[in-house]
């Protein structure tokens, strides 16, 4: 009888959107799958003989060759025959097959030479090919290992065969009778023993209360000043005191199981003694049930969920219940699953079908264990970290290692569980030992690499510490090197990570070192890695050397007493650094691209055309750069100068390659392109003048006024604060012009660059104070208005209650230059 396999339809729920919380729960499975695929993809073409991973991956395809004389004829499976039929039915695939056969027939046809590809693309293609081959082999082995069509054929055969169906029904009835009576007897014994078990638990609780009272009495005696007698090894003594109660409870729990076994033995010795098939079925089920009960009672003996007073393992009630529950599920699936398979062999279950069922039962067990790992990842992580009351128990290097293991332990466990079942399902011998070796190698090498990288990083931190003696000897080198400390740490972690991966793959038996040494892509990868590393290192060294030389030149100019040139040089430094950085980056980028297989000649040709197009469109940018370069070379301005550019005045904050950053007097930041600068008014060069323009009244003695001004200047210059800001004597030129209300005396004071504004403000302040003291008039414009009382009465009339005025009301009349009793009506004008 042969059943035609039907094509399975896609379930209706596969097209639905997966909720985010479900994706979060299955994220560890995705990470484990990616880890498996990555390991398989990086496997070299030549597998090391006897290696664990080679056995694990290549078992389904690597078959021992038989002698030619005894080699059996090749046979095809149903899947291979279906694939061949599908190929022949497809016109395109059929044409390709015919072309391949013709090429194999003709010995003169040379294979086409594959074009040369880059390192990255070649590595990706080879990794993809290896991954596809490995996944195809494993997928085929798993399909054969989990092919349930044989089981379905056996079920159909049992259902259609009259004698087998009658035998199965008879054995099921006998099994039901035995189970009902045995379970009923077990239940009755459990009811009878319920009271003794409760009494035992109450006695254990009273003992606990007594011990607690003794502890409280000892504490009170210690607080009263007496010496408290602390028992030695209190926890161990408590454990031994709990042990008799736990053993008694365990013996009472075993009694129902013993009754169940006795009832089953009576059935087997009596009515079922002559019925072989029914007897074997009952024996298999009874053994499975008793195995489950014994394992569960042993677990309850240690964990005692709900009975803390007799618990021998220190844990919480919730964890104890969780462990017992999952143990019940696991042992139930294992015991009853294998009992069902053993029973099926009595009714003609095929050997291949029984192997499929065994693997399916094992798959269910592995899935349940994976679920347990996911549920327990946080408590186990807390135990690994050593958390107590929510705080980490250890810090430093050990704490970091424990924290890393706590974050990733469930990933390693899931990887081990999934890979173990796959290896066992495809028939790898000693799969458990092989997978254990794989996981241990990964854990040990990863921990060792992490430890070494952390140790070196800590050593670098100590080396660049501020208290190191070489910091005082080479302060500049220390400061520059400390800037690269994060980069050094990152490089160390990356190098040790790559070395750890290579060592792990080599110890797994993949022969990764031989692959790098023999294969063309491996050799090119090693060469490209060395070239890229050397290019980056040389570029970094060149940058630091040139940068240090430029900084040293600026310091030498300062030491040689040329601050102006040093300031101009420092103004040019940002542009020089930018140019140097661009040149180094371009050279390193070209070396890297050439190392990875990119044709640099074609790239440069394309870039030249692109640069020409950019040049036509960036004429303004080029003008900015050239103008700025000439302005900087001519030393027109420096950082910190007060200048006026394009109608804007302010302090120069930064000079870039094309713009000037000008900070205005009101605090605004003005960015001016160099191409907009036509005139530069620099008030911070060499020296400055504080102009003097003082207007006095026409009735003042000019000689006396000039003598007072000279005296004010001498007094101001005698003060140390202002002496440093005045460069020369007062240049008082004398009477300059006759104004409308004053005569103007002008002159100037020579000051260092940028000091003229402060000197002028202080000198004007002293002029005002001294002139007021001397009675020297500083004329200003004002108005005086006079109203005639007769005209006012004629215009507005005389109020009845108002008395006639005794004298005319006066108000300021328009005048100029008179200090009479006037009321200023307008703001002062320039004197």
């Amino acid at each position: 009888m042969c059943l035609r396999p039907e094509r399975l339809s896609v379930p209706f729920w596969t097209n639905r959107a997966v909720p985010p919380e479900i994706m979060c729960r299955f994220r560890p499975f995705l990470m484990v799958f990616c880890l498996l695929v990555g390991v398989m993809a990086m496997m070299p073409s030549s597998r090391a003989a006897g290696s664990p991973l080679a056995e694990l991956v290549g078992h389904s395809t690597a078959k021992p060759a038989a002698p030619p004389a005894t080699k059996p004829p090749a046979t095809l499976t149903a899947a291979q025959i279906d694939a061949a039929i599908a190929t022949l039915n497809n016109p395109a695939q059929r044409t390709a097959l015919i072309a391949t056969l013709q090429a194999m027939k003709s010995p003169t046809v040379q294979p086409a030479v594959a074009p040369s590809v880059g390192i990255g693309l070649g590595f990706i293609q080879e990794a993809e090919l290896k991954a596809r081959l490995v996944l195809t082999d494993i997928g085929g082995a798993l399909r054969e290992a989990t092919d349930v069509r044989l089981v379905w054929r056996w079920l159909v055969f049992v259902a259609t065969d009259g004698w087998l169906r009658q035998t199965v029904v008879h054995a099921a009835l006998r099994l039901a009778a035995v189970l009902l009576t045995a379970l009923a007897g077990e239940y009755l014994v459990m009811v009878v023993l319920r009271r003794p078990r409760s009494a035992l638990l109450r006695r254990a609780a009273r003992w606990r209360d007594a011990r607690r009272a003794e502890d409280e009495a000892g504490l009170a005696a210690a607080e009263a000043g007496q010496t408290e007698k602390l028992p030695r090894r209190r926890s161990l003594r408590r454990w031994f005191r709990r042990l008799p109660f736990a053993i008694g409870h365990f013996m009472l729990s075993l009694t129902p199981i013993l009754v169940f076994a006795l009832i089953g033995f009576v059935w087997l010795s009596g009515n079922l003694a002559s019925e072989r098939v029914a007897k074997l079925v009952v024996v298999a089920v009874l053994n499975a049930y008793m195995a489950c009960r014994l394992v569960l009672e042993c677990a309850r003996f240690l964990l005692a969920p709900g009975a803390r007073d007799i618990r021998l393992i220190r844990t919480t009630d919730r964890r104890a219940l969780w462990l017992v529950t999952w143990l019940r599920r696991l042992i139930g699936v294992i015991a009853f699953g294998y009992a069902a398979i053993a029973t099926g062999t009595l009714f003609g279950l095929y050997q291949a079908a029984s192997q499929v069922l065994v693997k399916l039962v094992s798959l269910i067990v592995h899935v349940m264990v994976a679920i347990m790992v996911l549920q327990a990842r946080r408590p186990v992580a807390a135990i690994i970290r050593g958390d107590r009351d929510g705080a980490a128990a250890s810090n430093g290097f050990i704490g970091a290692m424990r924290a890393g293991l706590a974050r990733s332990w469930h990933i390693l466990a899931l990887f081990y569980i999934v890979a173990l079942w796959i290896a066992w399902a495809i028939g790898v011998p000693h799969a458990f030992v092989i997978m254990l070796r794989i996981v241990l190698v990964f854990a040990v090498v990863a921990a060792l690499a992490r430890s070494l990288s952390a140790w070196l990083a800590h050593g670098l931190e100590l080396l660049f510490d501020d208290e190191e003696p070489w910091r005082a000897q080479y302060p500049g080198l220390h400061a520059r090197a400390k800037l690269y400390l994060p980069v050094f740490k990152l490089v160390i972690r990356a190098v040790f990570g790559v070395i750890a991966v290579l060592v792990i793959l080599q110890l797994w038996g993949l022969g990764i070192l031989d692959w790098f040494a023999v294969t063309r892509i491996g050799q090119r990868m090693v060469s490209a890695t060395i070239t890229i590393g050397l290019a980056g290192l040389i570029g970094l060294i060149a940058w630091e050397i040139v940068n240090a030389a430029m900084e040293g030149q600026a310091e030498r100019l300062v030491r040689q007493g040329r601050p102006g040139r040093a300031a101009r040089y420092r103004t040019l430094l940002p542009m020089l650094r930018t140019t140097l950085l661009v040149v180094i980056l371009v050279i390193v980028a070209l070396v890297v691209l050439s190392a990875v297989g990119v044709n640099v000649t074609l790239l440069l040709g394309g870039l030249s055309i692109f640069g020409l197009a950019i040049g036509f469109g960036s004429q303004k940018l080029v003008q900015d750069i050239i103008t700025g370069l000439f302005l900087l070379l001519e030393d027109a301005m420096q950082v910190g100068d007060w200048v006026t550019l394009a109608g804007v005045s302010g302090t120069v904050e930064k000079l870039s390659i094309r713009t000037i950053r000008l900070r205005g007097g009101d605090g605004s930041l003005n960015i001016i392109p160099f191409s907009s600068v036509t005139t530069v008014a620099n008030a911070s060069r060499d020296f400055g003048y504080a102009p003097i323009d003082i207007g006095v009244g026409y009735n003042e003695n000019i000689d006396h006024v000039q003598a007072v001004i000279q005296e004010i200047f001498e007094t101001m210059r005698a003060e140390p604060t202002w002496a440093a800001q005045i460069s020369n004597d007062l240049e008082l030129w004398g009477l300059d012009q006759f104004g409308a209300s004053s005569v103007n005396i002008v002159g100037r004071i020579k000051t260092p660059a940028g000091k003229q504004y402060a000197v002028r403000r202080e000198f004007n302040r002293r002029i005002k104070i001294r002139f007021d003291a001397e009675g020297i008039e500083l004329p200003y414009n004002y108005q005086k208005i006079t109203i005639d009382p007769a005209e006012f009465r004629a215009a507005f009339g005389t109020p009845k209650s108002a008395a006639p005025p005794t004298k005319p009301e006066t108000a300021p009349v328009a005048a100029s230059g008179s200090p009479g009793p006037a009321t200023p009506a307008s703001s002062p004008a320039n004197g």
Side-chain angles (χ1 to χ4, degrees), residues 657-824:
I657 197 171
R658 59 172 296 271
T659 60
I660 306 170
R661 291 179 179 267
L662 206 64
R663 180 71 64 177
D666 57 351
S668 61
L669 181 63
N670 304 277
I671 301 176
I672 303 172
F674 278 118
S675 59
S676 301
V677 178
T678 57
T679 304
V680 179
N682 195 332
S684 301
R685 290 299 175 88
D686 300 333
F687 58 87
Y689 287 103
I692 299 173
D693 189 358
I694 303 172
V696 298
Y698 275 88
N699 57 349
E700 299 295 339
N701 187 349
I702 300 301
D703 295 335
H704 176 66
V705 171
Q706 291 183 355
V708 171
I709 293 174
Q710 185 69 34
E711 184 180 351
I712 293 172
F713 172 77
E714 296 297 336
T715 304
M716 181 176 174
R717 190 178 182 181
E719 297 179 4
T721 304
W722 297 103
Q725 302 185 27
I726 298 175
S727 302
N728 207 344
D729 295 335
L730 172 64
E731 299 179 15
L732 193 59
W733 296 329
L735 182 61
D736 183 63
Q737 65 178 0
F738 295 95
S741 61
S742 64
V743 290
N744 297 332
I745 300 174
V746 297
R748 68 181 182 182
I749 301 174
K750 189 176 182 180
T751 66
K755 303 298 183 180
Q756 60 268 32
Y757 307 105
V759 171
R760 180 183 180 184
R761 287 190 292 268
E762 178 62 20
F763 190 74
N764 288 336
R765 185 184 72 84
R766 293 174 183 248
I767 287 288
K768 176 65 171 62
I769 295 173
R770 182 67 180 273
F771 278 19
D772 290 344
E774 295 286 339
I776 300 174
E777 179 188 2
L778 293 173
Y780 56 93
N781 295 329
Y782 57 89
Q783 292 180 347
K784 181 184 291 185
I785 301 174
T786 302
I787 300 176
D788 188 1
E791 294 179 358
F792 181 81
R793 287 194 298 270
F796 299 100
T798 303
K800 297 180 179 181
S801 60
T806 58
K807 61 181 180 178
E809 298 178 359
T810 61
V813 181
S816 177
S818 176
T823 302

Side-chain angles (χ1 to χ4, degrees), residues 314-589:
R314 186 178 181 181
T315 184
T316 61
D317 291 337
R318 183 179 179 181
R319 292 180 183 177
L321 181 61
W322 181 82
L323 288 172
V324 171
T325 302
W326 274 105
L327 187 60
R328 180 191 301 115
R329 296 169 184 172
L330 289 173
I331 195 62
V333 171
I334 294 173
F336 287 101
Y338 285 101
I341 295 172
T343 303
T345 57
L346 299 175
F347 301 101
L349 180 64
Y350 315 135
Q351 182 66 23
S354 65
Q355 293 179 359
V356 170
L357 290 178
V358 169
K359 293 173 182 178
L360 290 178
V361 171
S362 176
L363 176 62
I364 295 173
V365 172
H366 282 75
V367 170
M368 295 171 69
V369 174
I371 295 174
M372 290 180 63
V373 169
L374 290 177
Q375 291 183 355
R377 65 183 185 277
R378 291 180 181 176
V380 175
I383 295 174
I384 294 175
R385 286 193 303 266
D387 292 353
R388 293 186 180 93
D389 298 330
S394 58
N395 297 319
F397 174 72
I398 301 299
M401 293 295 298
R402 296 177 67 174
L405 181 60
R407 287 192 300 268
S408 60
W409 78 270
H410 60 288
I411 303 297
L412 297 176
L414 290 176
F415 169 76
Y416 182 78
I417 292 169
V418 175
L420 177 62
W421 183 83
I422 293 176
W424 178 77
I426 63 179
V428 176
H430 311 294
F432 179 81
V433 178
I434 293 174
M435 288 308 305
L436 183 61
R437 176 185 171 186
I438 289 174
V439 173
L440 289 179
V441 165
F442 177 82
V444 171
V445 175
L448 185 61
R450 181 70 176 85
S451 304
L452 291 177
S453 63
W455 180 74
L456 285 179
H458 182 65
L460 284 177
E461 291 180 354
L462 296 178
L463 181 62
F464 293 106
D465 190 73
D466 294 338
E467 298 179 358
E468 285 294 317
W470 71 278
R471 178 180 180 273
Q473 299 177 0
Y474 309 100
L477 179 61
H478 181 274
R480 294 295 301 176
K482 195 171 183 180
L483 294 177
Y484 292 98
L485 183 58
V487 179
F488 292 157
K489 291 182 179 180
L490 181 61
V491 170
I492 288 174
R493 286 195 293 267
V495 170
F496 275 95
V498 172
I499 294 176
V501 171
L502 296 178
V503 171
I504 288 171
L505 295 178
Q506 184 68 26
L507 293 180
W508 280 356
L510 293 178
I512 190 69
L513 299 182
D514 296 336
W515 183 77
F516 279 117
V518 175
T519 61
R520 183 169 176 266
I521 293 181
Q523 294 174 354
R524 292 185 61 186
M525 285 187 64
V526 174
S527 176
T529 303
I530 297 174
T531 303
I532 292 172
L534 289 178
L537 181 61
I538 294 174
L540 180 61
I541 293 175
W543 162 260
E544 287 299 325
I545 290 176
V546 177
N547 194 21
M550 291 190 295
E551 289 288 344
Q553 177 65 21
E555 294 177 358
R556 280 193 298 271
L557 290 175
V558 174
R559 288 195 302 266
Q560 292 172 3
R562 294 187 285 179
R565 189 171 180 180
R568 183 174 59 180
Y569 185 76
R570 288 191 180 277
T571 303
L572 290 172
L573 271 182
M575 298 178 62
L576 296 177
R577 284 199 183 101
T578 303
T579 305
L580 175 64
L581 181 61
V582 170
V583 171
I584 291 177
L585 289 180
V586 169
I587 295 176
V588 172

